[in-house]
Amino acid sequence: MTEFRARGTGHRRGRDRRAAVVHAPQGRARFAAQAPAVAVVGGGIAGIAAATLLAERGAHVTLYEREPALGGRLSGWPTRLSDGTTVTMSRGFHAFFRQYYNLRGLLRRVDPGLDSLTPLPDYPLWHSSGLCDSFARVPRTPPLSALGFVALSPTFGLRDLLRMNPRAALPLLDVRVPGVYDRLDGISAHDLLTRIRFPEAAHHLAFEVFSRSFFADPRELSAAELVLMFHIYFLGSSEGLLFDVPDEPFPTALWDPLRRYLEGHAARVRTGTPVRRVTPRADGGLDIATDARTTRYDALVLALDSGGLRQVVAASPGLGDAAWRSRIGRLRTAPPFLVSRLWLDRPVAADRPGFLGTSGYGPLDNVSVLDRWEGEASRWARRTKGSVIELHAYAVPPEAERAAVQRAALQRLYEVYPETRSARIVDERHEWRADCPMFPVGGYRDRPGVRTPDPAVTVAGDMVRTELPVALMERAATSGFLAASALLERWGVRGQTLWTVPRAGRSAVLRRLAALEAG
């Protein structure tokens, strides 16, 4: 069995030298006296980022989270296996890409060297046809990164390149926010790739894998989000598509230390406490109602998922104005997804990667071998001479029979890693969720911005419009800092300096080419 791998040092290097700085609103370093009371509703990445900045500046912060633990979609909880072992279950694998500058800045509060993150050596993609892609050897410096991917990928042949529509591909060369949404939010990711005439194999193997990272079918996903991802990972930064993962379960590595950090800054953390209603007051404050009590605050950050935000706004008729409330009501949630974790009585082959993206294997979208990189899983695997495997199935049709999807994903695992056919499943857990934001065609303008009609209320989350080239977990962290900074600016207190990949294409030549299509 492959032993738990020691971490490397690649994840510790600094930001890309071409990264863009977003300066914080200036003001006092922190509140001196008469600090405001601020409620942050939602204990995921966005809420923790907002609460952290506000508490550091001396505000009286209360962080509300409906679940028993912090972390949102990266939370974890204990479960007892049939062999008597207590382990941590979660909602599945998440990649911490090197371009997540603001999320990493949040983590550095409690882990200055990011020692809790360990790098994975590759991001391999397999198609059932036998085609394989790898990002380990792809150059990282744009535009060589994009050219290298095309040159090294088996999905791009000379005939395929000659068939492509270069003019339709020009928007990929200079991505700006919000301009990319003005140009491409009206078509789907699938239709854009069809228009460009990307090779079918590349369409299915690489770009479909990327689009499904939004938990959505590429026929439903806005092309603007896919193109933004292309900018972030290929033409906007030199960080590439390699990533890091926490070397212990999420609570141990991330959220327990951050909770202690918040409480060390006098923040009150209320887990297992859903907020039911918000009522603006005549004095400019807000009453926040939970099941137990109603408490007055001076300001509020709503850092909820799409469904939770719709629910709280619907129950709070005085919040915002009619147009804002209507937009919130139209927010959509992505289709259900499945995370299956299997504890097997024997190891997988020693050369299996820690993470593998798949396409063409029915509902199976990726396979993780947790004992390759997570300490808790590695210890269990060493002790039992087994392995811990995780399967993901995204964008499952809501009407699908869930047990059948679980069986189908397992059968596909046997095709991807045939040695698992003979393994006995010591125990298994299946998590079904449907709470990720949907980024549908034409939906950008309905998504909330950080600021709301009420200057005492801001919004944060991975569905929020930030006007910056960020996505997924990095959008959550960035929006959380922006939401807190917007409130601090009202009181003349300094906000958070942020970093992103460049806010436009890095190459002047490519920008001029992109202007041909725009014109």
Side-chain angles (χ1 to χ4, degrees):
M1 182 182 72
T2 301
E3 293 292 327
F4 178 57
R5 296 173 179 172
R7 67 176 66 88
T9 58
H11 66 289
R12 294 194 184 97
R13 67 190 182 92
R15 290 179 294 269
D16 185 330
R17 63 185 178 84
R18 300 282 295 274
V21 62
V22 182
H23 293 288
Q26 293 304 299
R28 293 172 289 152
R30 57 180 286 117
F31 293 102
Q34 300 298 316
V38 184
V40 178
V41 183
I45 291 172
I48 292 172
T52 295
L53 178 57
L54 289 163
E56 287 172 341
R57 298 295 188 262
H60 300 302
V61 176
T62 302
L63 175 60
Y64 292 98
E65 167 54 42
R66 66 188 175 194
E67 299 297 329
L70 296 180
R73 292 195 290 276
L74 275 75
S75 63
W77 57 91
T79 186
R80 190 174 181 84
L81 302 181
S82 58
D83 68 356
T85 307
T86 298
V87 298
T88 306
M89 183 58 190
S90 74
R91 298 160 47 127
F93 172 91
H94 280 74
F96 287 66
F97 287 96
R98 312 278 165 80
Q99 298 92 339
Y100 288 179
Y101 306 133
N102 300 314
L103 175 57
R104 287 166 178 261
L106 173 64
L107 300 182
R108 287 184 190 276
R109 261 76 166 188
V110 294
D111 183 9
L114 295 181
D115 295 322
S116 63
L117 298 181
T118 189
L120 294 191
D122 197 3
Y123 182 178
L125 308 175
W126 286 8
H127 192 275
S128 58
S129 66
L131 292 173
C132 302
D133 257 327
S134 165
F135 293 98
R137 295 184 297 120
V138 173
R140 296 185 184 178
T141 302
L144 296 179
S145 47
L147 296 174
F149 171 66
V150 171
L152 294 171
S153 172
T155 63
F156 286 90
L158 178 59
R159 184 175 299 176
D160 297 316
L161 293 175
L162 293 174
R163 286 189 63 255
M164 288 178 63
N165 179 354
R167 190 174 186 88
L170 290 178
L172 300 175
L173 305 181
D174 184 20
V175 174
R176 301 167 187 251
V177 179
V180 65
Y181 293 97
D182 296 333
R183 296 160 68 186
L184 295 174
D185 195 46
I187 66 171
S188 73
H190 174 274
D191 289 348
L192 176 65
L193 296 179
T194 300
R195 179 185 299 178
I196 296 172
R197 294 199 293 270
F198 266 104
E200 193 70 16
H203 189 158
H204 288 297
L205 183 57
F207 290 95
E208 184 169 321
V209 170
F210 296 157
S211 66
R212 292 175 74 87
S213 67
F214 288 97
F215 301 89
D217 187 297
R219 291 168 179 80
E220 300 289 331
L221 177 70
S222 165
E225 289 293 337
L226 181 66
V227 171
L228 181 64
M229 294 278 277
F230 187 86
H231 171 72
I232 291 170
Y233 298 119
F234 283 108
L235 291 181
S237 78
S238 296
E239 305 286 357
L241 259 165
L242 300 182
F243 54 79
D244 309 312
V245 289
D247 62 5
E248 292 291 344
F250 297 133
T252 302
L254 309 176
W255 312 131
D256 292 346
L258 278 167
R259 178 171 185 156
R260 291 192 293 270
Y261 182 83
L262 281 167
E263 292 174 337
H265 283 75
R268 294 185 292 271
V269 179
R270 302 286 185 258
T271 51
T273 310
V275 166
R276 302 301 186 187
R277 186 175 58 261
V278 177
T279 305
R281 294 168 54 102
D283 62 6
L286 305 117
D287 286 334
I288 309 297
T290 67
D291 292 334
R293 62 179 59 87
T294 297
T295 307
R296 184 198 178 281
Y297 291 92
D298 297 298
L300 166 68
V301 179
L302 289 168
L304 297 157
D305 59 39
S306 299
L309 183 60
R310 287 198 311 269
Q311 187 175 25
V312 169
V313 170
S316 309
L319 200 57
D321 59 24
W324 180 81
R325 293 172 57 80
S326 179
R327 291 197 301 273
I328 297 297
R330 290 193 295 269
L331 291 177
R332 291 175 54 188
T333 298
F337 66 93
L338 165 69
V339 174
S340 290
R341 190 171 296 184
L342 312 172
W343 288 263
L344 306 181
D345 71 344
R346 63 198 66 188
V348 298
D351 61 349
R352 301 305 189 194
F355 175 83
L356 173 69
T358 61
S359 183
Y361 288 97
L364 184 64
D365 284 292
N366 58 61
V367 180
S368 299
V369 184
L370 269 70
D371 51 274
R372 293 285 190 267
W373 44 267
E374 187 195 87
E376 181 183 273
S378 177
R379 291 187 290 274
W380 185 90
R382 282 202 304 267
R383 179 173 59 82
T384 64
K385 298 182 171 56
S387 57
V388 185
I389 307 296
E390 188 173 276
L391 314 177
H392 287 201
Y394 301 143
V396 177
E399 70 276 8
E401 202 274 304
R402 293 187 171 186
V405 175
Q406 292 167 195
R407 291 192 298 269
L410 179 61
Q411 290 302 313
R412 294 299 193 168
L413 169 66
Y414 296 154
E415 296 177 29
V416 177
Y417 293 165
E419 68 272 21
T420 59
R421 286 185 182 274
S422 59
R424 180 177 65 86
I425 298 176
V426 175
D427 213 332
E428 59 191 304
R429 297 291 184 274
H430 304 282
E431 285 293 321
W432 282 93
R433 302 292 174 122
D435 53 6
C436 295
M438 181 68 182
F439 302 113
V441 175
Y444 180 71
R445 294 302 168 189
D446 276 343
R447 288 160 51 185
V450 167
R451 298 177 186 269
T452 76
D454 185 340
V457 179
T458 57
V459 181
D462 56 356
M463 88 296 257
V464 168
R465 291 187 283 115
T466 64
E467 312 300 317
L468 296 172
V470 291
L472 304 171
M473 292 191 291
E474 179 69 349
R475 185 182 285 150
T478 301
S479 67
F481 286 131
L482 287 171
S485 291
L487 295 178
L488 292 169
E489 186 177 19
R490 296 178 62 222
W491 297 306
V493 176
R494 177 167 46 86
Q496 172 76 46
T497 295
L498 301 173
W499 294 84
T500 74
V501 302
R503 300 170 76 168
R506 289 167 54 123
S507 165
V509 173
L510 296 182
R511 289 198 301 270
R512 284 195 290 271
L513 286 173
L516 296 176
E517 193 276 340

